[in-house]
């Protein structure tokens, strides 16, 4: 009689065949209530304090002037508690807008002064043993292993200085996908110019955090550095070599983050994200790198990490309170903060070209991913009291949480603005004031000319980073050429701005819902990002966007009744049209749209060599794994 086979034991036996000999490295769980001994390291650059003052002082002054102006509008009849609350909320939202503008100002000042955060050293590069780690969870196998094959071949063609090994670290729960992973791995191992390994965990304990922990404690001692990738990450050999060499020549660096550019955008919504990333993102990245210096951040992928530094200082505990035991979800920000707490530099190199990732193809897919990120980022509020964190690391975590809290704040402001009406006669709060003296006596001017001024100021500040980056590109002939010329760039810029304004109110509602879900529910269902970018049925769209549609309908009724300021028309229209806008987001424009609607950019007009290579490798692996589908 055959003995029963334990599935976990079988999985472990297979893993032992697909992995190198064990090389355990102890990874200590950090005590967040007690700061560890800190290494002494010199900061990157000579003037981080000056750049930080250039960031915060203008932002605070600009917010202060706006609040003073609004206070002047409100205080005529005497300030009430609700008026003070409104004033504070306006200030709390506006300061983050001004911080983005200050970041752009820093970037422009740095470019004019030829200042850069990417300090080069003349020290000789010592070869490192680098592990390329690809954590995967129910992903499309040919995409993952096709990208891996392209990266390894590109590295081999460069006569790499460093020694590389690639690890596919699978947490896949679907046995059919896992079987395809093993087949793809076996094929890659036979042809790859570097060692390739594969391990599938029996249980995906602690998700990606636990996946990397298992690798560090099982094999980390043999590798001086680990380059962490996502399932959709793609990096050229030159980019990988650059990061490894930077780490080799900077003994104080614990983590170096690249700036991933978006690729693979075929739908309208994906092109919107990609154009914004390529055209404007570089300017914000330059500013961020200048003021963050040694206290940079980590985005969880396309970054190289010193393995022993990570093991000794970045082990994450669970958060326990009120009988709850919670995994730290957005682990990357926290790991960066813990590395800096231990004295390791965390650097951001925005000029490392050849670092790529993909983006969700539809509005719904983007919102679903945002829900997971929102839950993790709000969790950072519980970590702000961690002992020994650098103030800039605390700011990174606080900023990540505020980026989501701003949406419900904007929504509350929208509601108050609607209640103010367009005149004293339509001011709902003033109307109720006659029966309840606890309500404020809002000045009529606030709902007429002053409300328009406020809206214009807010939109101007929100668009300033885009306008600044677009102006620099338009004024640089070489830059406009790679966007297809002045006319093509400016028309694409106009389309991107118009679509961003249209989608912004919808995303405000979706992020408000995400904040409420994170606040009142324990967990968020996790599923891999859809990369096929197909649309959703009308019923699914209506069900997903019913809140936006309802709010848009109420605002429209108020506008038609003459109760609400006409300056709310753009917001009302966007919310009322949430369903058609969401359907439009999945429209394939890559090969059909013309002119500005295509939102072409350097990545789409001249496909990077590594992207083309990955596309070919993906098709080749797919043909092996699914020959019938590939043939069709």
């Amino acid at each position: 009689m055959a003995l029963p086979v334990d599935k976990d034991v079988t999985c472990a036996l297979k893993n032992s065949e697909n992995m190198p000999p064990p090389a355990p490295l102890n990874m200590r769980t950090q005590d967040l209530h007690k700061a560890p001994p800190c290494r002494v390291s010199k900061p990157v650059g000579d003037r981080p304090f000056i750049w930080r003052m250039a960031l915060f002082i203008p932002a605070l002054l600009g917010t202060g002037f706006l609040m003073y102006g609004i206070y002047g509008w409100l205080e005529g009849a005497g300030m009430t508690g609700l008026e003070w609350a409104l004033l504070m909320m306006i200030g709390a939202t506006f300061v983050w807008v001004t911080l983005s503008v200050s970041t752009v100002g820093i970037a422009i000042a740095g470019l004019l002064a030829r200042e850069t955060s990417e300090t080069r050293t003349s020290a000789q590069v010592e070869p490192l043993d680098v592990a390329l780690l690809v954590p995967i969870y129910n992903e499309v196998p040919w995409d993952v292993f096709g990208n891996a094959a392209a990266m390894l071949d590109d590295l081999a063609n460069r006569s790499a200085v460093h020694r590389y090994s690639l690890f596919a670290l699978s947490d896949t729960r679907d046995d059919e996908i896992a079987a395809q992973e093993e087949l793809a791995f076996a094929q890659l191992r036979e042809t790859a110019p570097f060692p390739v390994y594969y391990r599938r965990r029996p249980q995906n304990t602690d998700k990606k955090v636990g996946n990397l922990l298992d690798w560090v404690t099982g094999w980390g001692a043999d590798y001086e550095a680990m380059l962490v990738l996502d399932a959709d990450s793609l990096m050229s050999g030159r980019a990988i070599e650059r990061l490894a060499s930077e780490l080799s020549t900077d003994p104080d660096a614990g983590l170096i983050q690249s700036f991933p550019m978006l690729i693979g955008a075929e739908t309208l919504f994906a092109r919107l994200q990609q154009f914004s990333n390529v055209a404007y993102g570089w300017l914000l990245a330059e500013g961020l790198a200048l003021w963050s210096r040694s206290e940079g951040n980590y985005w969880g992928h396309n970054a190289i990490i010193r393995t022993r530094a990570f093991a000794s200082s970045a082990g994450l505990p669970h958060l326990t309170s009120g009988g709850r035991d919670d995994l730290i979800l957005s682990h990357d920000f926290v790991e960066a903060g813990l590395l800096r707490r231990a004295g390791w530099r965390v650097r951001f190199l925005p000029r490392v070209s050849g670092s790529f990732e993909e983006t969700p193809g539809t509005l719904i897919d983007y919102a679903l991913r945002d829900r997971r990120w929102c839950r993790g980022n709000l969790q950072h509020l519980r970590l702000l009291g961690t002992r020994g964190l650098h103030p800039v690391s605390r700011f990174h975590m606080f900023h990540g949480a505020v980026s989501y809290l701003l949406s419900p704040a904007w929504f509350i402001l929208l509601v108050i603005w609607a209640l103010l009406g367009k005149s004293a006669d339509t001011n709902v709060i003033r109307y109720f004031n006659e029966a309840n003296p606890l309500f404020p006596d809002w000045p009529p001017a606030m709902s007429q000319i002053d409300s328009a001024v406020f809206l214009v100021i807010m939109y101007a500040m929100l668009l300033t980073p885009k306008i600044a980056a677009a102006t620099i590109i338009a004024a640089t002939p070489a830059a406009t050429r790679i966007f297809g010329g002045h006319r093509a760039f400016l028309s694409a810029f106009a389309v991107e701005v118009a679509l961003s304004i249209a989608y912004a109110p919808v995303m405000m509602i979706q992020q408000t819902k995400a904040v409420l879900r994170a606040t009142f529910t324990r967990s968020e269902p996790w599923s891999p990002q859809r990369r096929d970018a197909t649309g959703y049925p009308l019923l699914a769209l209506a069900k997903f966007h019913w809140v936006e549609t309802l709010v848009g309908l109420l605002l429209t009724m108020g506008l038609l009744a003459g109760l609400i300021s006409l300056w709310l028309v753009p917001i009302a229209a966007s919310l009322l049209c949430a369903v058609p806008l969401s359907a439009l987001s999945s429209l394939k424009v890559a090969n059909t749209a013309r002119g500005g609607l295509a939102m072409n950019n350097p990545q789409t007009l001249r496909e990077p060599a590594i992207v083309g290579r990955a596309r070919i490798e993906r098709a080749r692996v797919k043909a092996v794994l699914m020959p019938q589908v590939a043939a069709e």
Side-chain angles (χ1 to χ4, degrees):
M1 182 177 66
L3 294 175
V5 178
D6 189 296
K7 184 178 179 181
D8 289 355
V9 172
T10 303
C11 187
L13 290 173
K14 286 185 178 180
N15 284 335
S16 65
E17 298 172 359
N18 299 334
M19 293 292 285
L25 180 62
N26 182 45
M27 187 162 182
R28 296 202 308 260
T29 300
Q30 298 299 301
D31 184 350
L32 304 184
H33 304 289
K34 182 179 179 182
C38 181
R39 300 175 71 257
V40 177
S41 60
K42 294 181 180 180
V44 176
D46 300 325
R47 299 183 295 275
F49 180 77
I50 294 176
W51 290 113
R52 287 166 190 173
M53 290 302 97
L55 173 76
F56 289 103
I57 290 177
L60 294 175
L61 287 176
T63 304
F65 284 129
L66 177 73
M67 293 178 68
Y68 180 76
I70 295 177
Y71 173 78
W73 298 338
L74 298 175
E75 61 87 28
M79 294 287 288
T80 67
L82 186 56
E83 287 173 320
W84 279 113
L86 175 64
L87 184 62
M88 293 301 105
M89 185 172 294
I90 290 173
T93 53
F94 192 75
V95 69
W96 300 99
V97 178
T98 56
L99 280 172
S100 294
V101 177
S102 292
T103 301
V104 169
I106 288 173
I108 294 173
L111 292 173
L112 294 175
R114 300 186 181 277
E115 179 82 15
T116 177
S117 65
E118 302 192 12
T119 54
R120 289 297 195 103
T121 176
S122 58
Q124 182 177 359
V125 175
E126 294 292 336
L128 301 178
D129 287 299
V130 181
L132 310 180
L133 306 183
V134 188
I136 50 180
Y137 177 84
N138 288 348
E139 300 286 347
V140 178
W142 48 85
D143 289 348
V144 174
F145 286 91
N147 281 6
M151 287 188 286
L152 294 178
D153 286 345
D154 202 42
L155 271 172
N157 291 338
R158 291 190 58 81
S159 301
V161 173
H162 306 281
R163 298 174 292 272
Y164 297 96
S165 299
L166 185 138
F167 289 81
L169 307 176
S170 176
D171 266 347
T172 294
R173 301 296 93 199
D174 187 302
D175 289 338
E176 182 178 350
I177 296 177
Q180 292 179 331
E181 289 175 356
E182 291 184 17
L183 181 58
F185 156 71
Q187 183 195 53
L188 179 60
R189 181 172 57 178
E190 293 298 321
T191 59
F194 297 96
V196 178
Y197 304 103
Y198 172 84
R199 183 216 62 199
R200 183 188 178 203
R201 287 201 298 169
Q203 301 294 329
N204 63 332
T205 305
D206 286 351
K207 302 180 180 178
K208 185 177 178 180
V209 172
N211 202 351
L212 294 180
L213 171 65
D214 280 4
W215 180 86
V216 170
T217 55
W219 297 273
D222 275 351
Y223 297 90
E224 295 153 284
M226 55 183 189
L227 194 147
V228 181
L229 302 162
D230 264 356
D232 62 350
S233 292
L234 182 65
M235 295 186 72
S236 67
R238 181 179 180 275
I240 294 172
E241 277 280 279
R242 170 77 188 279
L243 290 183
S245 296
E246 287 284 349
L247 192 74
S248 173
T249 55
D250 185 355
D252 289 328
L255 185 150
I256 302 177
Q257 174 72 61
S258 67
F259 177 44
M261 306 297 283
L262 298 181
I263 55 171
E266 296 185 348
T267 64
L268 183 70
F269 192 79
R271 280 290 175 97
L272 174 69
Q273 301 300 314
Q274 186 183 50
F275 185 88
S276 179
N277 170 261
V278 176
Y280 324 131
W282 66 273
L283 194 58
L284 289 168
E286 285 286 337
L288 173 62
L290 279 172
W291 70 259
S292 64
R293 296 294 187 169
S294 299
E295 289 76 41
N297 210 354
Y298 173 38
W299 300 330
H301 57 91
N302 293 36
I304 194 165
I305 304 173
R306 196 176 301 277
T307 310
R308 282 177 170 76
F310 187 80
S312 65
S313 60
L316 297 182
H318 281 207
L319 298 179
T320 55
S321 63
R324 293 172 54 176
D325 184 81
D326 295 328
L327 174 69
I328 294 177
L329 299 174
S330 291
H331 55 91
D332 38 16
F333 282 39
V334 185
E335 288 160 347
L338 294 179
L339 281 166
R340 191 67 191 105
R341 181 177 80 153
W344 295 99
R345 291 174 178 165
V346 178
R347 298 173 56 192
F348 174 40
L349 301 185
R351 299 186 186 182
V352 173
S353 60
S355 179
F356 304 103
E357 64 174 330
E358 296 180 21
T359 186
T362 69
L363 177 61
I364 288 183
D365 292 323
Y366 186 92
L368 291 174
R369 187 187 69 175
D370 228 30
R371 286 180 186 176
R372 300 195 299 270
W373 287 6
C374 173
R375 187 177 295 274
N377 282 22
L378 292 183
Q379 200 179 51
H380 291 163
L381 295 175
R382 300 166 59 186
L383 297 166
L384 293 178
T386 300
R387 294 289 298 276
L389 284 182
H390 191 283
V392 175
S393 298
R394 292 187 205 275
F395 176 78
H396 286 313
M397 290 197 287
F398 183 59
H399 184 270
V402 168
S403 65
Y404 287 95
L405 293 175
L406 282 175
S407 285
W410 283 115
F411 181 70
I412 292 171
L413 284 176
L414 173 65
V415 171
I416 293 175
W417 200 354
L419 293 177
L420 287 176
K422 68 176 185 178
S423 66
D425 295 333
T426 59
N427 188 316
V428 177
I429 297 177
R430 182 183 177 90
Y431 172 78
F432 281 109
N433 184 39
E434 297 173 5
N436 186 350
L438 296 179
F439 279 91
D441 187 16
W442 297 96
M446 180 60 183
S447 61
Q448 297 178 29
I449 298 175
D450 293 337
S451 62
V453 172
F454 178 67
L455 183 66
V456 169
I457 291 173
M458 294 304 292
Y459 268 117
M461 297 296 285
L462 287 168
L463 293 176
T464 292
K466 297 186 178 188
I467 294 172
T471 301
I472 293 173
I473 293 173
T476 309
T480 52
R481 279 197 296 272
I482 64 175
F483 277 89
H486 273 89
R487 183 175 180 179
F489 171 70
L490 292 176
S491 60
F493 168 70
V495 169
E496 190 279 332
V497 169
L499 288 175
S500 294
I501 292 174
Y503 281 113
V506 181
M507 288 308 305
M508 174 189 67
I509 298 293
Q510 284 298 323
Q511 289 189 339
T512 300
K513 290 169 60 178
V515 169
L516 294 175
R517 290 169 68 99
T519 303
F520 296 109
T521 63
R522 283 293 307 273
S523 61
E524 190 75 45
W526 196 95
S527 58
Q529 179 179 309
R530 289 202 327 162
R531 309 192 196 281
D532 53 359
T534 55
Y536 287 84
L538 181 60
L539 183 61
L541 291 171
K543 183 178 180 180
F544 194 85
H545 295 292
W546 73 268
V547 175
E548 298 96 300
T549 305
L550 177 61
V551 174
L553 182 61
L554 292 174
L555 289 175
T556 302
M557 291 171 62
L559 286 164
L560 294 175
L563 300 175
I564 295 178
S565 171
L566 292 176
W567 292 102
L568 291 178
V569 167
I571 297 174
S574 293
L575 295 177
L576 188 63
C577 297
V579 170
L581 281 173
S582 188
L584 185 67
S585 72
S586 64
L587 181 67
K588 293 286 184 73
V589 299
N591 299 317
T592 57
R594 295 291 180 268
L597 191 61
M599 285 177 284
N600 278 312
N601 59 79
Q603 311 294 358
T604 60
L605 293 174
R606 282 167 294 281
E607 185 179 65
I610 187 65
V611 177
R613 191 183 196 100
R615 181 169 41 78
I616 294 171
E617 290 295 335
R618 284 181 172 195
R620 182 183 61 80
V621 177
K622 183 177 182 179
V624 172
L625 299 183
M626 302 186 70
Q628 297 87 356
V629 175
E632 295 173 1

